[in-house]
Amino acid sequence: VQLEQVRDEAIAERNGLRTKLEEKQEGLVKLRRQMDELKNTLKLKDEHIQQLRDGQKHLESFRYVLFHKVRALEEERVPLDE
């Protein structure tokens, strides 16, 4: 009788541990899914940042060219004023 009680307690404990294990595994799957989503979000944001940087470089070079054109035109205008 006492042996059966110990066996029943061990079975109950084992079942409880299995349930906890399954819950933890499900939680792990959810966390991995969230982590993958975050990685994808970071990747998209990094790509967007790179596009913005490329655009900024293009605009900076455009500004540089325009600045020098304006300077050249101003230098041409100076002799006309004299």
Side-chain angles (χ1 to χ4, degrees):
V1 174
Q2 191 179 18
L3 192 56
E4 289 176 7
Q5 184 181 2
V6 171
R7 181 181 57 98
D8 291 342
E9 289 174 0
I11 290 172
E13 183 180 356
R14 182 188 67 196
N15 290 338
L17 290 173
R18 279 187 180 164
T19 302
K20 284 183 181 181
L21 177 62
E22 289 171 0
E23 290 171 356
K24 299 294 182 189
Q25 287 174 334
E26 289 172 7
L28 181 61
V29 168
K30 287 179 185 178
L31 287 174
R32 284 187 175 157
R33 222 176 281 133
Q34 286 178 348
M35 193 168 70
D36 289 341
E37 289 174 11
L38 289 173
K39 283 181 182 178
N40 288 335
T41 301
L42 284 175
K43 181 180 175 186
L44 290 173
K45 288 186 179 194
D46 284 343
E47 290 172 358
H48 184 65
I49 288 171
Q50 189 58 46
Q51 289 173 349
L52 291 173
R53 285 182 178 155
D54 292 343
Q56 183 179 4
K57 285 179 186 177
H58 176 72
L59 291 173
E60 283 292 326
S61 63
F62 190 66
R63 184 186 69 80
Y64 179 80
V65 169
L66 286 178
F67 175 77
H68 287 288
K69 283 185 179 181
V70 167
R71 254 179 111 181
L73 288 172
E74 287 174 346
E75 287 174 6
E76 286 178 19
R77 190 182 81 196
V78 170
L80 292 176
D81 290 342
E82 293 175 358

